[in-house]
Every structure is written in structure tokens, then in C-alpha cells.
Amino acid sequence: MRKALLVCSLLALSVPLAGCDMFSGSSVAGAEDGSWTDGTARQLKEAIDNRATHGLDRMNFAVEGDPDSAEGQQALTQSALRYATAVAKGVSDPTKLYDIYTAARPEPELQAGLTKALADGKLGEWIDSLAPQDDNYRKLSDAYLALRKDGTAPATEIPDAGEPLKPGDTDPRIPLIARQLVASDYLDRVEPGTGYTPIMVAAVKRMQADYGIEPDGVIGAEALQILNLSDTDRAKAIAVAMERLRWLDRNVPDTRIDVNIAAARLTYWRDGKIVDTRKVVVGKPETETPQLGSPIYRLVANPTWTVPRSIQNKEIAGKGAGYLARNNMAWRDGWIVQQPGPQNSLGLVKFDMKNDHAIYLHDTPAKQLFGEVQRQRSHGCVRVEDALGFAEMLARDEGVTDEWQKARATGKETFVPLPKEIPVRLLYQTVLFDDAGEPVIRADAYGWNDRVSAALGFPSSEGRRFQASGSDVGP
């Protein structure tokens, strides 16, 4: 339950903000769109001075201009729109950072909003209202500000004592190591004492295997590099998490499915409340699951699987007729098609989605992968834990239980349209919160945070990445 709650709680460089295209079409004429006064100019400066609230303190939003001149009015308007855009939509544009990004984005009327804020003399209030207003954003902001103040954030960096830490050793660093293993999901809880216990050793070995290190349980420099999070590392991750939330449309559907690709978790919202959360398996680093907004429009019972050319050419080519027969596959119109059945790579149910990237949710016969900590192991689609149970839940909630049960009973591929599409968002968020409200930094398995942190003005850093193993031919 703890981990379910933890996951449920969340979900362009240092240069002018992507030119003027971040607010293309908006006039920056100045006085004729709303007059600046000394008071509103002061409010703008105060708002920008407090930009650390949004993790934007490494960005330059200099306030220039004297409100007593036309040129000054225009300069103040430009500064206000640049900062308002950053708060409302983000410093960076995800559709330019990534090859694929289709999640709904906010489209505020910034010029009109600025004009009204100037007329009302409430510029600061208006800028504050542009940021996400949910609890997650506020908690991220509080955590970021705490990291900037000496002594207010718990120590997280594990010092290198020079000698590797071996199983059975006693060391004062053990509580810090255990805390990070828990945060990373490799360990269930921090046990008292400073002994390097067999339970911790097993957790470290599992972590080492995920990162391509010899799984010997010895904590040397390489293992510490994975475990260690400096305050800068934590601040960077939190600032990126806030930026990712700013990318998202504020008007989210009350009924929806959110998949956190980084945490490999699914959350099902119904009428504004979380009704279910479960593990998923998502794409491995070389076949990432893209960030999409794409609805489920039908359930598919006993699906067939038409093997994509990429998988066919790389992983099935040359296998021969015996392999195809063992896996219930056959050639059909130039494609390899796997017939329905429990060993089908899509399992017994597919959740068909509308997108141009052949990405969808589905069942899987590879149940063991749900037991992994790092579940980035598929070819890009999203495998759902207990997918049949989830399908039954959706069918019940959408009033098509009878149709679903009849479809399953046929043993053949059968389609059950949903009376209303269910929106799905595939997102990437590496900061979650534990039951105590403390931020938990999860692995950036795809390295997708790097380009966002660069846009926010953070220096680049190198660290070990997750190396997928144990995957199969399934999508």
C-alpha cells in the first residue's frame, strides 16, 4: 500500500525563452495594451526575484525599462511575457526536446491576462495563478526551496571512505545507504543499526545488476555513484519535475489513466478520485515508451499480435519454422502473426489506443518482469499487471461487462468498443513523495531529464544508467 500511495502522490538552454515563438502571435507593444506603473513594475521585479519558487532561479528574466517611457513600457511587457510564459507553459518546449510528445499542453491567453493584471494592479497575483495549482507542485516547490537553505534539508550524500564496504561490515554510512535503497525501491524499509546485513546485500546486488555492475554486493565507487544524490542532484531533479508539470494542461479529465513511465506505474482516476494503481512494464532505454496523450477506445479480447518489422527483422529473422510453430506464429500476407492464446505476447487482452505510433496497453505472459524494480524492459508498449482484472474493472465502469465476458468466451480475437473513450497520458516523472511527504528521487532510466535540466540552467552531469536485461520479443 505504501508504494501505491507513493506513486499516486505524483504524477532551450539558459537563453531567451525559445525566442518569441513561446508566445507567438502575442503583441509586445507595451503601453497601448496596458500601462505600467512604478507599482506594477515593482510587482514584476518581486515576482522574478522569487523565481526559485518555481525552480527557475538559474534563469535570467532581467527586468529592464522605465515605465515613464514608451520604450520602457515595451521592455517591461517583454520581460513580463517571458516570465509569465515560463511559469505558465515552461521554459522549454517538450515537442522540440523530444521526437514524440503529444500530451495536452496549456494555452493561456497571456497578452490578455497581462493587460487585465496591469489594469487591476495585480500583476503578482496573476503570475502566481499561471503555475500549476495542485498539491504536487506546491510540495515540489517547498522541497526545492528547502534545498537552497543551509541545514533545512536532510543529508543525502554518502561519503566515500576509500575502502569498499563489504557484506558483514559495520559502517556509520549504512543508514544513509539504506535510506536511498528504500527510495529507489530496492529495499522495503530502513532497519536499525549500522551493520551491512544480508537483506541489504541482496538489495545492492539487484541494483548492481540493473546498472551493469558485477553483482557482488560490494559497495565501492561505482555503487556509490548510483546511490549518491547531492543537494544539487536533488534540486535538479525537483526543478525538472516542476517544469514537466508546467508542460501539462491544467484542465485534466476527471476520468483518465496516467502512466508514469519513469516509475513504471499506472494510476486510474474515476470522477476525480484514484480508484486503482498498479505496476506496468514500459519500453527499455533503446525502445522508449513515448510521452503521449492517447485515449483507449476499445478492449480487445484474445488478441492476435502482428509482429512489427523492427522486431521481426532484429529478433525473429532466421528463427525458422520450428520457432514459429512453438510460439503459435504464422506468416500472413507478408507479416508474422501470433495467434490468440495465453502465450500470445499481448496476453489475453489489449487496450486499443488511438495514436500514430502503435503504442497501447496490454497483457503479457512474462509476468516475472513485474517483480523487477526497474521495469523499463519492453519494446515500447505498456504491459499492465493483472491486465485481465484491469480490463474487467474498465468494462464494469463503462457498462460493457456482458459484452466483455462474451468476447472472452469466444477464444477468438473480439473487439469490445467502449461507449466513451478513456483518456490516457503517458508521462515521465522521476520525483515522487513518500508517506511522510518527503521527495523521493527515482532513476532517470531514459536520461530524459538531462535536456530539461540544461534548459533550466543546470550544469550537465554524468552518471550510470539503467541497462535493461531480461526482456523478450513482445511489444
Side-chain angles (χ1 to χ4, degrees):
M1 183 65 178
R2 176 187 176 279
K3 293 175 183 174
L5 289 172
L6 181 149
V7 174
C8 289
S9 69
L10 197 61
L11 239 125
L13 304 173
S14 185
V15 295
L17 297 180
C20 290
D21 63 352
M22 292 293 288
F23 46 89
S24 59
S26 295
S27 167
V28 290
E32 69 270 21
D33 295 315
S35 295
W36 287 88
T37 65
D38 289 341
T40 51
R42 185 169 56 251
Q43 288 180 40
L44 176 60
K45 183 178 185 304
E46 289 173 354
I48 293 176
D49 286 346
N50 291 324
R51 62 192 181 279
T53 302
H54 305 289
L56 297 172
D57 48 312
R58 292 172 179 264
M59 304 295 299
N60 180 18
F61 300 93
V63 179
E64 299 176 356
D66 180 349
D68 291 334
S69 69
E71 294 80 5
Q73 293 268 333
Q74 181 175 349
L76 286 166
T77 295
Q78 289 178 323
S79 291
L81 286 175
R82 287 185 66 245
Y83 186 59
T85 298
V87 174
K89 299 177 62 175
V91 169
S92 53
D93 182 345
T95 65
K96 295 179 180 177
L97 292 181
Y98 304 102
D99 292 336
I100 301 172
Y101 189 98
T102 66
R105 301 208 58 212
E107 293 296 339
E109 295 289 340
L110 294 181
Q111 181 67 66
L114 174 60
T115 300
K116 186 176 188 306
L118 290 174
D120 295 342
K122 296 181 178 179
L123 184 74
E125 291 181 22
W126 172 67
I127 291 176
D128 287 342
S129 73
L130 296 174
Q133 301 297 309
D134 59 279
D135 288 341
N136 288 323
Y137 192 85
R138 283 189 284 271
K139 287 191 290 185
L140 288 168
S141 176
D142 291 343
Y144 187 82
L145 292 174
L147 283 168
R148 298 179 76 250
K149 298 177 182 178
D150 293 339
T152 61
T156 59
E157 192 158 6
I158 305 162
D160 187 346
E163 293 295 323
L165 182 58
K166 298 178 180 179
D169 285 352
T170 298
D171 192 288
R173 298 173 294 168
I174 287 295
L176 280 176
I177 293 171
R179 185 186 304 166
Q180 188 55 36
L181 287 169
V182 169
S184 302
D185 241 8
Y186 287 100
L187 195 64
D188 288 334
R189 64 184 181 278
V190 178
E191 296 183 347
T194 58
Y196 188 21
T197 64
I199 293 176
M200 282 188 65
V201 172
V204 169
K205 286 182 177 180
R206 198 174 183 187
M207 180 193 74
Q208 289 172 321
D210 279 347
Y211 286 83
I213 300 174
E214 177 67 27
D216 55 10
V218 175
I219 302 177
E222 289 182 314
L224 281 178
Q225 186 183 29
I226 300 167
L227 289 165
N228 254 332
L229 285 176
S230 67
D231 282 353
T232 300
D233 294 329
R234 289 162 60 82
K236 182 189 297 187
I238 291 169
V240 169
M242 282 193 278
E243 176 78 348
R244 289 183 179 280
L245 290 181
R246 290 191 291 266
W247 290 346
L248 300 177
D249 189 357
R250 311 295 190 260
N251 301 313
V252 295
D254 288 339
T255 295
R256 68 184 186 278
I257 295 168
D258 287 338
V259 175
N260 185 342
I261 302 167
R265 275 277 184 177
L266 175 153
T267 302
Y268 173 34
W269 296 77
R270 192 84 193 179
D271 299 325
K273 297 179 180 179
I274 294 173
V275 295
D276 187 70
T277 180
R278 60 187 64 211
K279 296 177 181 178
V280 295
V281 173
V282 295
K284 53 190 175 183
E286 59 266 33
T287 55
E288 302 101 330
T289 298
Q291 299 165 90
L292 298 180
S294 174
I296 294 172
Y297 68 100
R298 67 182 180 186
L299 305 177
V300 185
N302 314 303
T304 61
W305 178 44
T306 300
V307 181
R309 295 290 191 206
S310 58
I311 297 177
Q312 177 182 314
N313 295 335
K314 290 181 181 179
E315 304 187 38
I316 299 181
K319 293 289 188 180
Y323 174 89
L324 297 181
R326 287 193 302 274
N327 289 279
N328 202 19
M329 294 175 172
W331 285 96
R332 182 187 299 169
D333 299 327
W335 294 84
I336 295 177
V337 178
Q338 190 174 35
Q339 302 306 308
Q343 296 309 307
N344 184 285
S345 292
L346 302 186
L348 294 173
V349 57
K350 174 185 177 184
F351 304 82
D352 247 343
M353 296 167 61
K354 289 183 177 179
N355 59 74
D356 297 329
H357 310 287
I359 297 296
Y360 45 83
L361 277 59
H362 64 92
D363 187 16
T364 176
K367 311 296 186 188
Q368 74 281 0
L369 294 182
F370 294 112
E372 299 291 343
V373 173
Q374 301 283 11
R375 294 186 294 279
Q376 289 79 20
R377 299 175 187 271
S378 80
H379 282 85
C381 286
V382 179
R383 308 178 188 186
V384 180
E385 185 178 38
D386 184 22
L388 279 178
F390 190 55
E392 289 168 3
M393 183 183 300
L394 297 185
R396 180 197 66 219
D397 291 347
E398 294 298 321
V400 292
T401 296
D402 288 346
E403 293 92 330
W404 171 245
Q405 290 177 347
K406 291 176 182 176
R408 281 209 62 205
T410 65
K412 299 178 180 180
E413 185 173 59
T414 308
F415 304 99
V416 179
L418 297 179
K420 187 176 182 180
E421 295 178 351
I422 301 176
V424 178
R425 299 188 303 176
L426 307 181
L427 307 172
Y428 193 84
Q429 184 61 281
T430 60
V431 182
L432 310 174
F433 289 93
D434 63 17
D435 294 342
E438 292 295 325
V440 174
I441 314 296
R442 296 299 301 271
D444 178 15
Y446 293 170
W448 277 358
N449 282 357
D450 294 346
R451 60 198 78 175
V452 185
S453 64
L456 294 170
F458 283 89
S460 60
S461 59
E462 293 185 4
R464 281 191 169 270
R465 299 288 186 203
F466 167 62
Q467 297 183 19
S469 62
S471 59
D472 49 55
V473 300

